[in-house]
Amino acid sequence: MSIVQIPMFFWLIPLCALAGIITALMLYKWSARHDEGTSRMKEIAASVRVGAMAYLGQQYRVMSLFFLVIAALFLFAALVSNISLWTPLIFLSGGLFSALAGYFGMKTATMASARTAAAAQKSLNSGLTLAFRSGGVMGLVVVGLGLMMISIWYVVLSGSMQIKDSADLGFLTATILSFGMGASLQALFARVGGGIFTKAADVGGDLVGKIEAGIPEDDPRNPAVIADNVGDNVGDVAGMGADLFESYVGSILAAGTLGVIAYAGLDMQWKATLVPLLIAGLGIVLSIIGIFLVRSRPDAGQKELMGALDRGIYFSTIGTSVGVFLLLYLIGLENWLQISLAVVVGMLVGIIIGKGTEHATSDEYKPTQSLAASAASDPATLVINGIGNGMISTVLPVITVAVGIILSFGIVADWQFNAEGVVSGLYGISIAAVGMLSTLGITLASDAYGPIADNAGGNAEMAGLDKEVRKRTDALDSLGNTTAAIGKGFAIGSAALTALALLASYLQSVRQVLLNDGTTSISLSGGETVDTAQATFDQLLTYFGASFMSPLTLVGFFIGTVVSFFFCGLTMKAVGRAAMLMVNEVRRQFREIPGIMEGTGTPDYANCVTIATKGAQKEMVFPAIIAMLTPIATGWLLGVGAVLGLLIGALCACFTLAIFMANTGGSWDNAKKYIETGEYGGKGSNAHKAAVIGDTIGDPFKDTSGPSLNILIKLMSMVAIATAAIPALYHLL
Amino acid sequence: MSIVQIPMFFWLIPLCALAGIITALMLYKWSARHDEGTSRMKEIAASVRVGAMAYLGQQYRVMSLFFLVIAALFLFAALVSNISLWTPLIFLSGGLFSALAGYFGMKTATMASARTAAAAQKSLNSGLTLAFRSGGVMGLVVVGLGLMMISIWYVVLSGSMQIKDSADLGFLTATILSFGMGASLQALFARVGGGIFTKAADVGGDLVGKIEAGIPEDDPRNPAVIADNVGDNVGDVAGMGADLFESYVGSILAAGTLGVIAYAGLDMQWKATLVPLLIAGLGIVLSIIGIFLVRSRPDAGQKELMGALDRGIYFSTIGTSVGVFLLLYLIGLENWLQISLAVVVGMLVGIIIGKGTEHATSDEYKPTQSLAASAASDPATLVINGIGNGMISTVLPVITVAVGIILSFGIVADWQFNAEGVVSGLYGISIAAVGMLSTLGITLASDAYGPIADNAGGNAEMAGLDKEVRKRTDALDSLGNTTAAIGKGFAIGSAALTALALLASYLQSVRQVLLNDGTTSISLSGGETVDTAQATFDQLLTYFGASFMSPLTLVGFFIGTVVSFFFCGLTMKAVGRAAMLMVNEVRRQFREIPGIMEGTGTPDYANCVTIATKGAQKEMVFPAIIAMLTPIATGWLLGVGAVLGLLIGALCACFTLAIFMANTGGSWDNAKKYIETGEYGGKGSNAHKAAVIGDTIGDPFKDTSGPSLNILIKLMSMVAIATAAIPALYHLL
């Protein structure tokens, strides 16, 4: 058995993952022990729960069709070529475990919302602790299940194949990469479907409820109100969870493939491929401790709560970065110091992007305040300035990531920005991505906490709890908005770095295709011939004619850019259409159900949930197909260079567009909230009306199209990797 | 004297240019002979004229500072290195002649508007002929002056230097390229400044006039009404003219530089470098004939007028493409057939993009009609769907250009998409760009015709002419919207192709820098050494470490993408700010001038013009500095690969963003007009109010930010070419 080849320290990794899973279970039980409040509160929570589960069931049904077809294709490919027979199973497990993480996260969130409202009756701190720890279930389930399943596949594959040399190890890491593809595909459905559901319900409900009928948010007379609360769960909890599950495993796996080629000697290669897992494991342990550090005095105010959250996150971050130096030194990784520094670079990039997002969207800073001022003028100026601000706000995160790329590459590659430094430098970049996501357990907790608090507020409003309670849940919610902004920054920044690492994985797959095809040497210009296995990336590129001056490659860039815009436009329109269905349904109910506005008739909440579900289900298929077919079609028509161009073009466009969409939407949302605090006339003023329009426009920006772009680029990279044989062997031009 | 080396056929080129200039002069005199109508009409026209000239004066003053500084830098560079001493002068002439073309075009347009209104009193056809021929002055002045000045520089430079070999000819074409840089810089100021002026006046005037005070468009009681009419001239006439002057000369010059390296033997190289000029000259002659073909029966209706326009444009297009085959065969260009086919490809690309723009923005097609339906729902859905539609609409033009790139490259390079085919293939792409723009004389005429008709309508309204006259000018205006949409498609598509050709020019400059620096051979990996002069583009790239896997190059892509968004955001915000100044001024006048709303008090029109001028002047400087410094800073910090990444990233992002902005804005505009025809309740309905908001948001989209992006990418390319020594010799990393 070759299983003994795995270095001993490996076994720490599944242990850490297990710790995450067990803690998640404990937190869940702890939350579930709390009182769920009055029977009205329970009833509302139950409706949301039922709706959310019904949606998930529907989404999983649509998805499973795609998964089965693709798994069958993988099986076929495995039978006719020499990719591993495990591939279809690994792929399916990626989708399944991402779905499981989403399921558990949502189960917890829908369980916790009424309990949070009930706890908020006691104190702000009780509400915070309950909501945050319930969010922690999501965070720890994502990282625990992700890391556990990757560890299991490492054990299974290294047991089933003889790892004799670095080629075998490379084959192993490339095979596990299909786990990331499964996670990507499931994430796309979760983000696009969930994003369409949540915004169809939100936009549709607001348009008729707030704008036409003039009733407040979360008013139980609005038939879309339960759907809206369901939407927060399926979009912001399950969608965000799947998104980050995918980023998390994607960054770990991409770094794993690069570890094999960045080092010499099987022993060191094993270490390098497992280092990303080890860093992730360490991050889980420190996230667990961090989550328990988030607590405050019973009578704490908003500021203290924020301090408590910050304490937990900073503890985990600093602890992980210190621990990495120690661990990598102890396991004897060759350049442990440089790799540890790359982890720190990744963390810093994440923090700066988070702060940048906060600056761009929080009403404590000038951009959002100036938007509120434009709203006082009219809706058109608000939209013009919002879009202008959003575009300008892309500069800081993109430049930060750029600096992070250069630093993490440069540190690890001894500042050799050329063919010699390229492999280790790319490994450095991928490690920075892993570092940024290593404390995902706690950062995701603070993300998932937001919708729980939001739903708690909805529950309190609908159940007619005290104004004081609603005020507390609002405070929790507002705190959640800030943490959500920071979380979005993490999601976007890590996606960019991971996609960059996947570019290198793509070239590795192309090389593997050549080797599998029996092309053991490639001839370059000038009659030079090199071993395919030893060729540098640049030589591979030359062999495939991938050059800046090749029209096929340049066209690849164009396609990558335009597919990002196309995808973004499709999801925007999908929200528009699904929201119209909701508008018509809400209008119909207002018209046809007697006594609904007086509160004597009961709205048909379930029908609104069904409509949003059907809308989302219908609308998520086409964008998913586009995302999968674009890299395949480009590769088949135009070859390897064009696919590379496509991936780079899409990376740049998706990254920048995603930040633009997220920040613009977030800023409009907060400008509205700022006005609602009484600025520029407060609620009901013209400024407020304009701000509500801005907020409604921003909804699909920040919660559907923007976040989906993160996944688009990674899914396209994964598809390109899985189908590398097409451009490498069978392209037309 | 080496002047005799210029092939004899060269002299046809300045003759064609002269024919364009003389015809322009004749058309101007013909227009000026027409009656300008009542004294009220004359008075209004005079105000617009004075305002427009005052603005141009101001803009030219700000610009000349920039021009003098840069010319001084060129002079310094010429004194310390071996770039030509003519460079500063050529650069200045590019700016000067672009400005002259803008000046003449605007002089004609402001002269013709009242006359068009007066002619429309007779018949629709009289109005059309007058407006169109006045637009023709602009079209022919742009192409005539551009081609003439390029010809003159060819004569001067080939006279002053000994053209002994292809290196000398390469030096000559590289030197003339600075004419394009001057044109680019002036175009940026004209587009950004003009765009800010026109939309500040338009948005500011509409917000207070239409939305707050409820008075119609072009109502003389609105103090911003003259500024709005001035804006049409400085933005749509002078701005568009400078934009296309720059595209026109840029495409000709870029193709000229590539002609030298795409062929062997000085004789054939001379031909190849002059072929773009020859195609342009042929296009001028056929544009002249086409312009005179645009006429109709005196009592013609809208449809017949469109037919007349189409007849002119199609005649010029088909005539030029047929003529090209003949001419290139006659002058004995080696692969005359392939090059002629590339011209046809370029023309087809232009036509398809134009049709795509029409489909995306005209109210005869589904996208805009569906927008009108969303407006009936509410402004938020209108904006969401508009942005969604706009993003989706980028697919057709981008894919068309992509196919055009592959075809024009493939045809000329014998379908060799590798290092062997690259130089001739790139020449093919650049020829396609020249082909697309060859009939600019008439396409620009139909563009410039739009604002003349628009101003005629304004004049008719303010002078209180018959409703019938206003209806006729409206018909002319609506025709102008369609041609303007097509024209925008041309501007964007040709910019993309030209920018692509400039990439190759950039690498040529880098090579020249190495040669000037005494680096006669470069060493590649594997110990290979090649002559710098003979090295392929790919070898040059390898030497500079420019690779898809180099972090510096990848960071270049990021910078290119984000600078496009940044620039776009800056110009959006600039319009927002300048419009606010206008809003405040119009509100002040409504408040302070007695009897203004009753029509007894006279608004202070001139002050509104001054405010828009100052706003534009202040706001155009920062974006211009960003556009110039980004390539220089990137080159200095990160080297050649990063600059190339920057240019490609910016090309993709600018191209796609520009189409998105132009189509989204155009569609909102036409959705509003569609509703104004009585659909969804017509004027004054809620749908109309929502549509006015959409139209106002779309103003800076389509008339400021979108068009400026075309120029951004070309200006950055030109700056990169001019400063190629910085990344090639002095970069930091």
Side-chain angles (χ1 to χ4, degrees), chain B residues 80 112 123 154 161 178 188 226 294 340 353 411 438-439 455 580:
Chain B
V80 299
S123 75
Y154 262 96
M161 54 174 80
S178 53
L188 189 80
I226 294 286
V294 178
S340 306
I353 292 183
I411 291 171
S438 58
T439 53
N455 266 275
M580 275 327 288

Side-chain angles (χ1 to χ4, degrees), chain A residues 207 370 377-381 383-385 387-389 391-392 394-395 398-399 401-402 405-406 409 417 422 426 429 496 500 503-504 507 526 528 537-538 541 545-555 557-559 561-562 565-566 568-570 572-573 576 580 587 638 644 648 651-653 655-657 660-661 693 696-697 700-701 733, chain B residues 207 370 377-381 383-385 387-389 391-392 394-395 398-399 401-402 405-406 409 417 422 426 429 496 500 503-504 507 526 528 537-538 541 545-555 557-559 561-562 565-566 568-570 572-573 576 580 587 638 644 648 651-653 655-657 660-661 693 696-697 700-701 733:
Chain A
L207 282 181
S370 78
S377 161
D378 71 284
T381 331
V383 174
I384 292 174
N385 281 330
I387 290 176
N389 278 347
M391 287 183 163
I392 292 172
T394 59
V395 174
V398 174
I399 296 302
V401 165
I405 288 171
I406 291 177
F409 187 106
F417 295 102
V422 78
L426 288 170
I429 294 176
L500 211 53
L503 283 182
L507 278 182
E528 200 187 347
F537 282 155
D538 279 357
L541 291 171
S547 152
F548 292 111
M549 288 295 116
S550 158
L552 304 182
T553 309
L554 288 167
V555 163
F557 287 112
F558 279 118
I559 297 176
T561 309
V562 87
F565 278 78
F566 183 46
C568 196
L570 284 180
M572 291 284 287
K573 293 273 294 178
M580 275 327 287
R587 282 192 188 141
L638 309 173
L644 212 61
I648 297 175
L651 167 56
C652 294
F655 182 27
T656 318
L657 261 180
F660 159 60
M661 302 293 278
I693 294 176
T696 310
I697 298 169
F701 272 61
L733 285 180
Chain B
L207 282 181
S370 79
S377 161
D378 72 284
T381 330
V383 174
I384 291 174
N385 281 330
I387 290 177
N389 278 347
M391 286 184 164
I392 291 172
T394 58
V395 175
V398 173
I399 297 300
V401 165
I405 287 171
I406 290 177
F409 186 106
F417 295 102
V422 76
L426 288 170
I429 294 176
L500 211 52
L503 283 183
L507 278 181
E528 201 188 348
F537 281 157
D538 279 356
L541 290 172
S547 152
F548 292 112
M549 289 293 116
S550 157
L552 304 181
T553 309
L554 288 167
V555 163
F557 286 113
F558 279 117
I559 297 175
T561 309
V562 86
F565 278 78
F566 183 47
C568 196
L570 285 178
M572 291 284 287
K573 293 275 293 179
M580 275 327 288
R587 281 191 188 143
L638 309 172
L644 213 59
I648 297 175
L651 166 57
C652 294
F655 182 26
T656 318
L657 260 181
F660 158 61
M661 302 293 279
I693 293 177
T696 311
I697 297 169
F701 271 63
L733 284 181

Side-chain angles (χ1 to χ4, degrees), chain B residues 273-347:
Chain B
T273 199
L274 292 179
V275 154
L277 282 74
L278 194 64
I279 299 171
L282 178 66
I284 291 182
V285 174
L286 279 144
S287 292
I288 294 173
I289 306 178
I291 287 172
F292 285 101
L293 285 181
V294 178
R295 60 169 82 206
S296 192
R297 290 179 304 124
D299 53 345
Q302 171 96 359
K303 219 181 173 95
E304 273 174 278
L305 293 183
M306 189 71 208
L309 259 181
D310 274 351
R311 194 165 55 238
I313 292 178
Y314 283 129
F315 173 84
S316 304
T317 309
I318 295 171
T320 305
S321 59
V322 171
V324 161
F325 284 88
L326 201 69
L327 266 183
L328 298 198
Y329 173 75
L330 286 177
I331 67 163
L333 188 73
E334 228 164 54
N335 51 354
W336 61 274
L337 187 63
Q338 285 93 323
I339 297 296
S340 306
L341 285 172
V343 170
V344 176
V345 168
M347 284 175 163

Side-chain angles (χ1 to χ4, degrees), chain B residues 488-513:
Chain B
K488 267 177 198 148
F490 263 78
I492 298 173
S494 64
L497 290 182
T498 303
L500 211 52
L502 288 174
L503 283 183
S505 308
Y506 172 67
L507 278 181
Q508 268 308 99
S509 308
V510 169
R511 185 203 306 273
Q512 200 59 51
V513 166

